[in-house]
Amino acid sequence: MNGKNFKHMNVKKLWQANSAAGSTLHWVGRILGTMLLIGATAGIIMAFLFAIYVNRYIKPTLDLNLDDYSLDLTSFVYYTDPQTGEDKELETLYDTENRVWVNYEKIPKNLINATIAIEDQRFMSHKGVDWKRTIGAFGNMFLSLRSNFGGSTITQQLIKNLTNDKDVTVKRKIVEIFRALEFERHYTKEDIIEWYLNTIYLGQGCNGVNTAAQTYFGKSVSDLSLAECAALIGITNAPTLYNPYLNPEKNKERQELILDKMLELGMVEKDAHDAAVKQTLNFVHNKATTQDSKQSYFVDQVISDVISDLVEQKGISQQMASKSIYQSGYKIYTTIDVGVQKIMDDVFTNEENFPKVRVNGPELPQAAMVVMDPYTGNIVGMVGGRGEKQGVRTLNRATQSYRQPGSSIKPLSVYGPALDMGAVTPYSVFDDSPLSVINGKAWPKNYDFRYRGRMTVLKAVEISDNAVAARVVDMITPEKAFSFASVNLGLTSLVREQEKGGKVYSDVNIAPMSLGGLTKGVSVEEMTAGYCAFVNKGVYTKPRTYTKVKDSKGNVILDNTPKSVAAMKEKTAYYMNYMLQNVVKQGTGTKARLDNMAVAGKTGTTSDDNDRWFVGYTPYYVSTVWFGFDEPQEIKLEKSTNPALALWKMVMSKVHEGLENKSFFAPEGLVKASYCMDSGLAPTEYCRMDRRGSRVATGLFYKEDVPSSRCTMHVQVNMDTSTGQLATPFCPEEFLKTISLLDLNRRFSVSGVVVEDEQYTIRIYGEENSGSGYRAVTPSNKSGSPPLNTFCTAHTQAWTPPVTESPPPEENPEEPEQTEDPDAPIQSELPPEEGPIDTSTPQPED
């Protein structure tokens, strides 16, 4: 074969080969084109279906508005520092999430950069989704066949935190991507980073960086250093693994990784980086932001008061109000004086300060106390129980327990209204003798079972006399007493009418108003507020535990401005202060005296001895203490003491240390005048001729209250000096002596009622048994001699001049010279100081 033919053959073969290759490529191209066309068509179809899917199933869930999210924000309770006037944190309140919001402007730049460096390096440039990381995450998912997407941006993480949607599904990831894209169209990067840093969880019950900064470093987030910022933000990736308390080495590794990233991204200089790495971190265990606190009784009451006011003023439910306290980031400004509260807590948590009591079971007697500023209505201290508090919002006996007040109610329901009506003054006189007979027995009984006879209101208050109190209520009417105590002085627990077990009960009666045996009882807080009006010139101010409440944005939502009313005349308050000081000077409250301060007050003991009270006050504070069992039972003391009074003294003596010695207010123009202690009227010469000695005393009166009518109670009689008895018509003239006795003829429907001054009353010779009922009898004489006001038994036959009648009172008599000290005790025997009660024969005060 020649060369030409060989060449032709090769060309032909080459052409045939090329033709075959071209045909193959053609078919491959057609196949690929077809596949691309099918793929494109499928893609279009898939895209169309995906669009329908998104539109129908995903789009409705894309809307995300930050205004719709009310996060669990920690609320703060503040007190005012008395030295600086600054508001300081007392306690924090939160429900399930302890979170304190911090605005973007107060977040350190280093903390923001540390977050971006470790969580989302391209945060400032992407539009909500980092596509490079997202595609990589999807590829990782398909290649590894795992549902672990990863690749979330800060925006996506925020959305997950807000929606609490943690499902690990393709749908959730797609929704999250679309939401992130939509979200960043409406919010700035500053908004997103602020919300993110306030919503992340950082261990130890901390939600948000501000709470975490306080917990781990004991400082505000704005004060964190670069090293602290890196350590703090490192926790969020795995709060347990990187917890600096549990795993300090792991936290340090994470911190250095973040610092290295920040250096790599140019967020910090090398020197700052190296210094932060070397810095020794001081992690503190700040318990102020944890729920280890049981909350004080005071804070418990603040919460109750705020909830009550939210319900009343905002028209929301109790449940919603309670939830908002713990979740809305409120700032509650309280009235507490932390110094006073500490003194109270120290006294009430020390078991040595409580008396030994014979008990019938494991239960110990409890106690409660409130201290109040009478001029502002501010409660400055409160204790609701004995010993260490055992939980949050437990029984607060200062406000939630209602007990019988005994005689401690008398200033509020008896003498307060009587003084205010002008019906009495401290020097008005009533008969300390039974008011009535009930079931064949004289009523009411005094705590020592004695009836003393004629007695001033001053004396009745001093010794806590029951009979005089009952007579005063009977005079002014129970309705007036009830209204004054409940309306004027805030004893809202008093019951006008209540049916229980088919029986109707009411406090609008003589016994409840005068002796304190109430249907429901009263609280320690109520009693304290009622007495405050005496200190504050008759002005009653509703008690308050807080002054205002602000929401998380600083808006005032509750303004608890003091609510005051003129409850009584200033004169009433002055007279009551005078009488209640006398109780402490020489009456049942002597153990409450303070060395450096004027003190007034009133004791109270129930007839069954289930409750002991002392309400005491100074020109600075009013305070009430109650002592008794939660389930009422007799208090059987092993030592002679009034536990309520003793606790009051322990607290208030320390509260008043270093305070200026002040006196209670006194009006100008008071008049010093004389009065008869047996009538309360202007004295005559016969008031000085009483067999016991002069019955004239002096007191300080408002001018209009100075007695003008002359005493007609004392009447001139003759006494036989040989026997010391009243003269008969047969007593020799040389044995006669002119004296004066009381012109009284007490009679009762039962016999044997002993009245101590009965021996100083007149008898009419030959008519000693005249009148209806039984005349009061005199106390038994230890010597066995007959009573002083019986008629002479030595002269029964011989004639003597008849008993001389008293002359008529002179017109415009001269005022006799007065020498009596108005502050001296009244000339009658004082009862023992209120102390132990013989449990074998109970001696109730009331």
Side-chain angles (χ1 to χ4, degrees):
M1 181 177 296
N2 57 31
K4 182 177 179 180
N5 290 333
F6 179 80
K7 181 177 179 181
H8 178 76
M9 183 183 294
N10 286 342
V11 171
K12 183 178 180 180
K13 288 181 178 180
L14 180 62
W15 179 85
Q16 290 176 341
N18 287 338
S19 295
S23 178
T24 301
L25 289 174
H26 174 74
W27 282 104
V28 170
R30 291 185 66 181
I31 292 171
L32 289 175
T34 302
M35 291 179 64
L36 288 174
L37 182 61
I38 293 172
T41 303
I44 293 172
I45 293 172
M46 290 297 295
F48 179 72
L49 293 175
F50 182 72
I52 294 175
Y53 174 76
V54 170
N55 187 65
R56 179 172 298 181
Y57 298 105
I58 296 179
K59 190 174 181 180
T61 66
L62 293 182
D63 292 336
L64 194 64
N65 191 336
L66 292 180
D67 293 337
D68 294 335
Y69 288 86
S70 178
L71 301 179
D72 285 352
L73 300 180
T74 299
S75 293
F76 288 90
V77 179
Y78 294 98
Y79 73 94
T80 301
D81 187 322
Q83 303 299 323
T84 65
E86 296 178 357
D87 293 320
K88 293 190 174 181
E89 183 182 326
L90 179 64
E91 289 197 30
T92 56
L93 309 174
Y94 59 92
D95 189 8
T96 58
E97 296 185 358
N98 183 15
R99 178 183 287 110
V100 182
W101 195 269
V102 57
N103 293 330
Y104 179 85
E105 293 77 15
K106 294 185 178 180
I107 301 174
K109 186 65 174 177
N110 284 327
L111 184 61
I112 294 172
N113 286 337
T115 305
I116 294 172
I118 198 64
E119 297 292 337
D120 187 2
Q121 295 180 20
R122 287 176 286 277
F123 171 71
M124 298 305 295
S125 59
H126 65 60
K127 302 299 182 182
V129 178
D130 188 335
W131 291 110
K132 181 178 179 180
R133 292 180 64 191
T134 300
I135 293 170
F138 270 107
N140 177 67
M141 177 189 71
F142 288 118
L143 291 175
S144 61
L145 299 178
R146 292 183 301 171
S147 296
N148 183 13
F149 300 104
S152 293
T153 63
I154 288 175
T155 308
Q156 290 171 278
Q157 292 181 53
L158 171 60
I159 291 170
K160 184 167 60 177
N161 292 339
L162 289 177
T163 60
N164 202 31
D165 188 354
K166 297 180 172 63
D167 290 341
V168 185
T169 64
V170 173
K171 177 184 175 182
R172 198 273 300 172
K173 191 66 176 180
I174 294 171
V175 171
E176 181 183 286
I177 290 171
F178 276 94
R179 273 182 163 171
L181 294 171
E182 182 72 13
F183 195 77
E184 289 223 5
R185 290 178 55 206
H186 299 285
Y187 295 100
T188 66
K189 294 291 185 181
E190 289 78 8
D191 292 332
I192 294 168
I193 199 70
E194 176 183 327
W195 273 75
Y196 175 76
L197 291 175
N198 278 287
T199 56
I200 56 176
Y201 181 67
L202 293 133
Q204 296 298 118
C206 301
N207 289 274
V209 292
N210 203 17
T211 304
Q214 288 287 352
T215 299
Y216 293 114
F217 298 108
K219 62 176 69 173
S220 172
V221 67
S222 60
D223 297 327
L224 294 181
S225 68
L226 170 60
E228 292 167 338
C229 286
L232 187 70
I233 206 63
I235 299 171
T236 189
N237 183 259
T240 300
L241 178 63
Y242 297 120
N243 188 311
Y245 299 155
L246 304 176
N247 300 300
E249 297 84 3
K250 290 291 184 181
N251 179 267
K252 181 62 178 173
E253 290 177 8
R254 184 73 173 174
Q255 179 221 32
E256 292 186 8
L257 172 63
I258 293 171
L259 290 171
D260 290 346
K261 280 286 185 182
M262 294 176 72
L263 179 63
E264 176 188 330
L265 297 172
M267 294 176 172
V268 294
E269 299 292 335
K270 185 68 167 59
D271 291 344
H273 166 273
D274 295 346
V277 170
K278 293 178 181 179
Q279 180 180 334
T280 301
L281 298 179
N282 180 27
F283 291 103
V284 299
H285 290 263
N286 191 346
K287 295 184 179 181
T289 55
T290 70
Q291 280 187 313
D292 294 337
S293 171
K294 294 183 175 64
Q295 288 179 192
S296 65
Y297 285 108
F298 189 98
V299 172
D300 279 357
Q301 190 57 38
V302 170
I303 294 170
S304 295
D305 290 345
V306 171
I307 289 174
S308 178
D309 289 344
L310 285 171
V311 170
E312 180 181 350
Q313 297 182 32
K314 304 300 180 183
I316 60 177
S317 68
Q318 186 90 7
Q319 181 180 5
M320 183 62 68
S322 179
K323 184 177 180 180
S324 67
I325 288 285
Y326 293 95
Q327 295 184 348
S328 298
Y330 288 161
K331 294 183 178 180
I332 305 171
Y333 299 86
T334 71
T335 61
I336 192 172
D337 183 315
V338 291
V340 173
Q341 185 66 54
K342 184 180 186 307
I343 293 171
M344 297 172 71
D345 291 339
D346 289 345
V347 169
F348 275 72
T349 54
N350 186 347
E351 286 297 323
E352 295 182 1
N353 294 328
F354 290 84
K356 293 183 178 179
V357 178
R358 297 190 295 275
V359 297
N360 299 323
E363 181 188 5
L364 292 174
Q366 280 289 344
M369 184 177 190
V370 168
V371 180
M372 186 170 168
D373 181 335
Y375 309 104
T376 63
N378 290 348
I379 293 177
V380 298
M382 178 182 293
V383 174
R386 168 183 186 168
E388 294 288 344
K389 191 166 178 283
Q390 296 303 310
V392 175
R393 301 188 71 185
T394 56
L395 174 64
N396 188 340
R397 297 166 186 84
T399 57
Q400 296 174 325
S401 295
Y402 292 87
R403 304 302 291 259
Q404 304 306 315
S407 284
S408 62
I409 199 175
K410 291 173 181 175
L412 307 180
S413 61
V414 180
Y415 301 112
L419 287 166
D420 212 53
M421 294 166 60
V424 302
T425 72
Y427 315 105
S428 298
V429 175
F430 291 82
D431 210 57
D432 178 22
S433 62
L435 176 64
S436 62
V437 174
I438 300 177
N439 297 327
K441 295 183 179 180
W443 182 90
K445 292 287 187 183
N446 288 322
Y447 75 99
D448 56 2
F449 300 105
R450 296 167 61 187
Y451 294 114
R452 293 166 176 79
R454 304 299 290 174
M455 183 181 296
T456 61
V457 168
L458 178 66
K459 187 68 176 180
V461 174
E462 175 191 313
I463 67 172
S464 198
D465 189 86
N466 289 337
V468 170
R471 289 181 179 276
V472 172
V473 172
D474 183 47
M475 178 184 68
I476 66 173
T477 74
E479 176 61 40
K480 291 291 177 83
F482 179 90
S483 177
F484 191 87
S486 61
V487 178
N488 293 32
L489 295 178
L491 297 190
T492 57
S493 57
L494 299 184
V495 174
R496 178 170 290 280
E497 187 174 284
Q498 179 177 316
E499 183 177 348
K500 289 193 299 184
K503 186 177 180 180
V504 177
Y505 296 85
S506 175
D507 292 334
V508 191
N509 282 304
I510 294 176
M513 289 295 92
S514 60
L515 308 184
L518 305 175
T519 304
K520 178 180 179 181
V522 292
S523 71
V524 173
E525 181 187 48
E526 283 181 316
M527 292 293 287
T528 308
Y531 272 72
C532 283
F534 300 140
V535 187
N536 196 23
K537 298 184 178 181
V539 176
Y540 171 85
T541 302
K542 184 179 179 180
R544 61 176 187 167
T545 55
Y546 75 94
T547 60
K548 61 186 173 183
V549 177
K550 293 182 178 180
D551 63 17
S552 60
K553 297 180 180 179
N555 301 312
V556 176
I557 60 171
L558 289 177
D559 184 359
N560 198 17
T561 303
K563 299 176 179 65
S564 300
V565 295
M568 65 186 75
K569 300 170 186 173
E570 183 178 315
K571 177 170 71 172
T572 302
Y574 166 76
Y575 277 151
M576 190 58 68
N577 289 339
Y578 175 70
M579 291 194 293
L580 293 178
Q581 284 182 86
N582 200 50
V583 171
V584 176
K585 287 179 180 178
Q586 57 191 41
T588 58
T590 55
K591 292 182 180 178
R593 296 171 185 163
L594 298 180
D595 295 336
N596 64 332
M597 199 67 55
V599 179
K602 185 72 188 71
T603 54
T605 304
T606 54
S607 58
D608 48 19
D609 203 18
N610 287 350
D611 301 278
R612 293 293 189 92
W613 295 76
F614 183 68
V615 187
Y617 59 92
T618 71
Y620 288 95
Y621 298 110
V622 178
S623 179
T624 302
V625 178
W626 165 83
F627 182 90
F629 290 89
D630 283 336
E631 291 296 325
Q633 61 176 282
E634 183 182 352
I635 301 169
K636 300 177 181 179
L637 298 169
E638 294 185 2
K639 289 186 178 181
S640 173
T641 183
N642 179 341
L645 200 156
L647 289 167
W648 188 95
K649 176 71 174 287
M650 278 184 264
V651 170
M652 299 306 279
S653 60
K654 293 183 179 179
V655 166
H656 287 82
E657 284 181 0
L659 295 180
E660 179 186 353
N661 193 341
K662 288 185 179 180
S663 301
F664 295 106
F665 79 92
E668 296 181 357
L670 292 174
V671 177
K672 188 175 184 180
S674 300
Y675 64 94
C676 172
M677 291 189 289
D678 296 304
S679 68
L681 302 175
T684 68
E685 58 182 302
Y686 305 119
C687 300
R688 293 179 174 80
M689 296 169 60
D690 189 287
R691 180 155 190 179
R692 294 163 286 181
S694 175
R695 299 294 293 165
V696 179
T698 56
L700 290 174
F701 295 80
Y702 276 74
K703 186 176 181 180
E704 63 269 24
D705 294 330
V706 174
S708 56
S709 300
R710 308 271 296 179
C711 174
T712 56
M713 183 68 66
H714 283 96
V715 179
Q716 178 185 354
V717 297
N718 287 330
M719 178 184 73
D720 187 303
T721 58
S722 65
T723 61
Q725 296 173 290
L726 294 179
T728 71
F730 309 108
C731 293
E733 187 173 352
E734 62 269 22
F735 291 152
L736 298 183
K737 178 182 179 182
T738 302
I739 61 170
S740 67
L741 294 178
L742 303 177
D743 187 9
L744 287 174
N745 188 12
R746 300 186 182 103
R747 293 186 178 273
F748 307 97
S749 60
V750 292
S751 61
V753 176
V754 178
V755 182
E756 293 178 5
D757 70 353
E758 183 64 22
Q759 59 187 316
Y760 305 114
T761 61
I762 280 183
R763 294 289 198 275
I764 304 299
Y765 186 69
E767 300 179 8
E768 54 266 35
N769 293 322
S770 63
S772 62
Y774 300 91
R775 183 153 185 168
V777 298
T778 60
S780 59
N781 194 317
K782 293 181 181 179
S783 65
S785 58
L788 298 175
N789 65 342
T790 57
F791 286 96
C792 177
T793 55
H795 304 99
T796 58
Q797 300 297 325
W799 180 89
T800 57
V803 174
T804 305
E805 295 184 0
S806 60
E810 302 175 10
E811 293 186 6
N812 300 321
E814 286 188 14
E815 183 70 27
E817 181 181 355
Q818 308 302 328
T819 58
E820 289 78 5
D821 180 1
D823 294 327
I826 295 174
Q827 300 172 19
S828 61
E829 184 179 356
L830 291 173
E833 292 180 0
E834 184 180 57
I837 292 182
D838 185 349
T839 55
S840 60
T841 56
Q843 297 178 340
E845 178 186 1
D846 309 311

